[in-house]
Amino acid sequence: IEYLTKFKKASKSDIYKLIYDKLPEILDDKQKLNKINNITQSLSNKENRIINKGTHRKPVWELNNE
């Protein structure tokens, strides 16, 4: 949310780079990617805080200003 407030939008790779190193080392790459996907889905579907302005294949996440 702080990243989106500052930069207005983030691609999937931007979010991956931002979060990946902060996840526990016990998780393997597949688990980390799954965790990142779960975080973005939770913020978009459940909390409605971010929206995808890109495509399903190449998402561009922005804050939901509604």
Side-chain angles (χ1 to χ4, degrees):
I1 298 300
E2 289 177 28
Y3 184 92
L4 291 175
T5 301
K6 183 175 181 179
F7 295 105
K8 307 297 182 213
K9 62 183 176 180
S11 67
K12 184 176 181 178
S13 64
D14 292 335
I15 293 174
Y16 181 85
K17 290 174 193 173
L18 180 69
I19 299 175
Y20 186 83
D21 291 338
K22 293 170 179 61
L23 294 174
E25 292 295 320
I26 196 164
L27 301 176
D28 63 28
D29 288 340
K30 185 176 179 181
Q31 290 171 318
K32 287 183 179 185
L33 182 58
N34 191 39
K35 185 77 163 172
I36 292 168
N37 288 335
N38 289 342
I39 290 168
T40 56
Q41 288 304 311
S42 177
L43 287 172
S44 75
N45 293 340
K46 293 179 184 174
E47 297 180 34
N48 202 28
R49 295 188 68 191
I50 62 174
I51 55 174
N52 180 8
K53 294 278 185 142
T55 64
H56 180 69
R57 189 166 227 192
K58 292 190 177 191
V60 177
W61 297 103
E62 296 181 9
L63 289 175
N64 186 0
N65 294 322
E66 294 180 355

